[in-house]
Amino acid sequence: MHMETGRPDRRRGQLEAFLAGCGLDFDARAEYTAMLVDDGEIVAAGSLDGMTVKCVAVAPDRQGEGLAARVMTELRREAWARGHGQLMLYTKPRNRMMFAELGFSPLLETRDCLLMESGRGGLERFLAGLPGAEGVTGCIVANANPFTLGHRYLIERALDACDTLRVFILSEDKSLFSPDARMTLAKAGCAGLSRVSFHFTGPYLVSSATFPDYFLRDRQIVDRAFCELDVAMFGEHIAPRMGITRRFVGTEPEDGVTRQYNECLKERLPGCGVEVVELPRREADGQVISAGRVRALYREGRMEALRPLVPETTFEYLLRNPYREG
């Protein structure tokens, strides 16, 4: 038996078939995979996507041999080499004991999904670093990829409805612009606005684009699980710690998934004492200003066309950093 690591290009089809036999789909977003191969057959595997462990499986007839621990040891070694001292994973609730034996502690459990982290105390340390309430405290969660005048408009309107606004920028490095660049542009784009502070989400608030769904094959279950997990994390932990009583979202006329997610938040968060306020999006030339529209123009090199859609600070950054394929 030997370990094969890296991208599973040579065994991609074999890995997909192995995981399917274990009730999982291979997540193509995974950056690194460890496979134990015995006599040409995959008997255990697991993957790493940033700090998230994915697609861990052991052949049914090889369970009890410590193979999952060997795979996890390799994934931890690689994660450490990449600068990730903490690991997260999402799995089905029935797998709690298996991953607990591999050193993971449960954080949140919903009907369809269990969120776990390596070690203990990560969430508590994250919450301890967040500020408390200052009057009526509101919140916006955004990717800001990149920061646009649409984001600025939502922040201004939200400030009209609260005393203090906390803006969370997604920490996941899955976007065209890095987390640090997105945070810098958000802060620069809000220069002159008082009563607003910016914070990274850490691994505790996720976007629909990064929510691992490889273990949930029904699209409706995936959407429900994502919303339930976000409501539980935000409503039960983050909002109480920061005294947040209002969460602001923009109307979503184009993206059906985001629109459905907003409806889910409006339905569920009030039960946690958080009002969800939907604000109209700003338009330019009869179209909603969106980061997606800005990215498309940026990729095409149409800088003057995107200029009316972004703050001057974002425009200057894009000029200094022209788009390069790959």
Side-chain angles (χ1 to χ4, degrees):
M1 186 187 308
H2 67 280
M3 180 83 74
E4 294 184 10
T5 60
R7 291 191 178 275
D9 298 331
R10 186 170 68 89
R11 294 189 186 271
R12 173 70 177 266
Q14 187 181 0
L15 177 61
E16 290 177 348
F18 168 73
L19 291 174
C22 298
L24 302 175
D25 292 326
F26 178 66
D27 193 327
R29 295 170 294 190
E31 303 165 346
Y32 184 87
T33 295
M35 296 176 290
L36 279 172
V37 181
D38 192 8
D39 196 21
E41 298 295 323
I42 299 173
V43 294
S47 296
L48 195 63
D49 183 8
M51 64 184 299
T52 302
V53 174
K54 297 182 172 182
C55 305
V56 176
V58 176
D61 62 342
R62 303 297 296 267
Q63 293 180 7
E65 299 180 22
L67 303 186
R70 289 180 61 181
V71 168
M72 191 61 65
T73 296
E74 172 58 26
L75 295 180
R76 281 195 170 96
R77 183 203 63 76
E78 179 65 20
W80 184 266
R82 296 181 180 215
H84 302 300
Q86 180 189 23
L87 294 176
M88 311 288 291
L89 67 83
Y90 303 79
T91 187
K92 293 179 180 178
R94 67 169 182 254
N95 295 327
R96 171 193 288 258
M97 288 306 300
M98 179 183 79
F99 286 109
E101 292 174 354
L102 295 174
F104 286 84
S105 302
L107 285 179
L108 289 173
E109 182 175 342
T110 66
R111 181 178 3 176
D112 305 300
C113 183
L114 173 65
L115 171 62
M116 306 183 77
E117 66 178 350
S118 59
R120 295 180 181 275
L123 177 59
E124 288 75 13
R125 289 190 294 273
F126 173 75
L127 294 174
L130 298 176
E134 295 182 21
V136 177
T137 303
C139 173
I140 290 175
V141 180
N143 195 16
N145 183 40
F147 191 81
T148 70
L149 289 175
H151 294 110
R152 166 91 184 202
Y153 179 78
L154 287 178
I155 290 171
E156 289 174 338
R157 298 287 73 77
L159 281 171
D160 290 338
C162 60
D163 299 312
T164 303
L165 183 66
R166 312 299 190 190
V167 178
F168 279 96
I169 303 297
L170 292 180
S171 300
E172 284 276 358
D173 195 4
K174 297 292 183 182
S175 303
L176 181 59
F177 301 96
S178 71
D180 287 340
R182 289 184 280 110
M183 176 65 79
T184 297
L185 292 177
K187 290 180 176 179
C190 289
L193 293 181
S194 59
R195 301 183 289 117
V196 57
S197 63
F198 293 85
H199 313 272
F200 278 124
T201 61
Y204 301 107
L205 284 173
V206 295
S207 73
S208 58
T210 59
F211 178 70
D213 55 10
Y214 60 89
F215 61 93
L216 300 170
R217 293 182 166 179
D218 187 310
R219 186 70 246 174
Q220 288 185 327
I221 294 178
V222 169
D223 294 340
R224 183 183 70 209
F226 168 51
C227 184
E228 289 178 347
L229 193 68
D230 190 33
V231 167
M233 180 62 74
F234 184 81
E236 297 175 15
H237 295 280
I238 294 175
R241 169 65 185 87
M242 304 181 78
I244 293 169
T245 55
R246 292 177 186 170
R247 180 162 168 175
F248 299 91
V249 299
T251 54
E252 187 47 73
E254 299 172 354
D255 187 334
V257 174
T258 302
R259 184 166 58 249
Q260 181 180 355
Y261 174 65
N262 287 349
E263 291 301 317
C264 179
L265 291 183
K266 287 191 288 186
E267 176 185 340
R268 295 173 181 268
L269 271 182
C272 301
V274 180
E275 176 189 7
V276 179
V277 181
E278 195 168 31
L279 299 171
R281 302 272 291 276
R282 181 174 175 177
E283 295 186 358
D285 300 324
Q287 298 183 60
V288 167
I289 297 177
S290 71
R293 184 180 169 194
V294 170
R295 290 194 302 274
L297 294 170
Y298 174 62
R299 288 188 176 101
E300 296 168 5
R302 299 171 59 190
M303 302 305 292
E304 288 306 315
L306 70 78
R307 186 168 196 161
L309 309 180
V310 298
E312 192 64 23
T313 46
T314 297
F315 182 72
E316 291 173 357
Y317 175 86
L318 298 180
L319 280 180
R320 293 194 306 271
N321 299 273
Y323 177 72
R324 292 181 176 85
E325 191 73 40

